Amino acid sequence: EPGTGRAGFLVRPDRDDADSWVDERMISQALSHLGVAPLDKFFKDGGQLLYTVPARLDGNGTYAQVRLPLGVTADMVADRRDRLAANLGRAKLETWPTEGAEAGQLDLWVADKGKLGRGAGPWPLLLDGEVDVFDGVPFGRSQRGDLIAAPIPERNYLIGGQPGQGKSSAGRTLCLGCVLDPTVELRVYVFASNPDFDPFTPRLSAYVKGDDDEAIEAGVGELRWLREEVTRRGKLLERHGAAKVTRKLASTVAGLHPVVVIFDECHEMFEHPDHGAEAGSLAIKVVKKARKCGITLLFLTQSPTAASIPKDLTRNCSRSEERRVGKECRSR
């Protein structure tokens, strides 16, 4: 770039939308109007920020790394994220100031205008590709556009959200990745009369659907089987001198293949007057032991409350509430 001594393609990425350009000058100007006392004094005294990483194209936005002056921490900047976003002409969701390797190092990522509202794009395995659940399955994209792979082995999930907000879609996305791994056994229990998981039917080894007592009893029966299964697998692992199921064991030892079990509208089971207490007790026992056994449980619910979901179950799951999924990850 003439007169600056810097390469233009680094500091001014080629974009159609000129409003998306963010450079060091704009960042410095935005930081100088944050109202952070030591930062204000630094600029008033004629200080100039050191950019350890110049502003550059990064996914769906611009990334820069700044060495902050004495007395200023990255957290002090992050605490004024609203004002920083306004100064940069961005929405709060499009502005991400975080701490770098040190407290005085600011990592700043700013999304291109409007990019975060465009969804996650086509599923990466829509046309080709392979899945190994031990590497995770495609689930969504971060604000930067990076693919997020959801871990399956050694995890259990509790996904909660209001009706129509993507709870079942999130569960189906996880299942879609799992069914593409031929070693995975998938079992589904839906305590409602809806067709959300019907397309998976040819690939399921167990599928129960309904909100009647018979469906609830089948779900509790599954939990009883899982309790026995984790015990059997634990003994098998001990016999092979292994601490947990690995890809190699899952592929070579009969009876140690990955198992994924989904309980949709699980609050119907846990709140059942006759079977709820047993279901809660069994679920807690299973999730505590399933981690090393190659068994993953997914609980989907529109009522993720303390009264409808056992507390110990929540503590042992990788919780993914609809609110967090919506803000932190653009799910497919």
Side-chain angles (χ1 to χ4, degrees):
E1 187 174 348
T4 68
R6 296 174 297 181
F9 69 89
L10 286 177
V11 297
R12 294 200 176 193
D14 183 16
R15 298 171 183 153
D16 295 333
D17 183 2
D19 289 340
S20 289
W21 285 1
V22 174
D23 58 20
E24 294 95 325
R25 178 190 60 82
M26 297 170 61
I27 296 172
S28 295
Q29 188 174 20
L31 291 172
S32 69
H33 291 81
L34 277 189
V36 177
L39 195 56
D40 291 346
K41 184 178 185 304
F42 172 79
F43 283 107
K44 185 177 180 180
D45 293 342
Q48 293 187 353
L49 293 175
L50 171 64
Y51 283 81
T52 49
V53 177
R56 67 185 187 189
L57 182 65
D58 187 335
N60 292 323
T62 300
Y63 170 76
Q65 189 179 83
V66 186
R67 168 61 62 187
L68 296 170
L70 293 176
V72 184
T73 66
D75 284 346
M76 294 167 70
V77 175
D79 287 343
R80 285 170 169 75
R81 181 181 169 197
D82 287 0
R83 187 176 298 182
L84 178 62
N87 292 348
L88 289 169
R90 293 296 194 275
K92 181 179 178 180
L93 182 62
E94 296 173 328
T95 309
W96 294 88
T98 58
E99 183 179 303
E102 304 170 8
Q105 189 177 71
L106 174 68
D107 281 356
L108 178 64
W109 185 81
V110 183
D112 293 347
K113 282 189 175 181
K115 280 288 185 72
L116 300 188
R118 299 182 183 178
W123 197 55
L125 299 172
L126 186 62
L127 300 178
D128 59 20
E130 298 178 351
V131 172
D132 180 349
V133 292
F134 286 85
D135 295 330
V137 300
F139 183 68
R141 292 191 181 277
S142 69
Q143 280 82 0
R144 298 189 185 196
D146 298 330
L147 181 66
I148 293 176
I152 299 300
E154 300 190 57
R155 293 293 189 278
N156 296 289
Y157 286 86
L158 171 60
I159 302 176
Q162 296 177 350
Q165 296 300 307
K167 164 181 57 67
S168 294
S169 294
R172 290 199 304 268
T173 300
L174 291 171
C175 290
L176 187 57
C178 290
V179 299
L180 292 181
D181 183 331
T183 67
V184 173
E185 178 183 358
L186 188 64
R187 306 166 70 87
V188 175
Y189 293 80
V190 181
F191 303 119
S193 298
N194 66 56
D196 288 346
F197 288 89
D198 284 358
F200 293 95
T201 301
R203 185 64 170 76
L204 303 180
S205 61
Y207 186 30
V208 173
K209 181 173 63 174
D211 56 3
D212 53 17
D213 288 347
E214 185 177 352
I216 299 297
E217 290 171 0
V220 176
E222 177 72 11
L223 288 171
R224 293 186 190 123
W225 174 78
L226 286 169
R227 180 189 58 188
E228 297 175 356
E229 182 67 3
V230 294
T231 300
R232 183 193 67 79
R233 287 180 172 230
K235 294 178 180 178
L236 192 53
L237 284 171
E238 186 177 4
R239 191 182 311 160
H240 285 270
K244 63 181 181 180
V245 174
T246 61
R247 171 77 279 171
K248 181 177 180 180
L249 285 173
S251 301
T252 59
V253 178
L256 287 181
H257 61 284
V259 174
V260 178
V261 185
I262 296 94
F263 295 96
D264 195 6
E265 305 296 353
C266 63
H267 57 278
E268 295 287 350
M269 179 173 62
F270 294 130
E271 292 182 317
H272 193 276
D274 297 326
H275 304 290
E278 182 186 6
S281 177
L282 288 169
I284 292 168
K285 290 178 180 179
V286 172
V287 297
K288 286 182 176 180
K289 297 180 179 181
R291 179 185 62 82
K292 67 176 184 178
C293 297
I295 297 174
T296 297
L297 276 64
L298 278 66
F299 298 95
L300 314 181
T301 178
Q302 59 181 273
S303 180
T305 66
S308 57
I309 306 295
K311 290 183 179 179
D312 278 350
L313 179 63
T314 303
R315 294 189 186 106
N316 285 278
C317 287
S318 306
R319 292 176 61 211
S320 177
E321 297 179 4
E322 164 267 322
R323 180 178 66 254
R324 292 174 58 194
V325 170
K327 288 188 175 181
E328 298 181 8
C329 168
R330 291 175 289 157
S331 177
R332 298 184 183 279

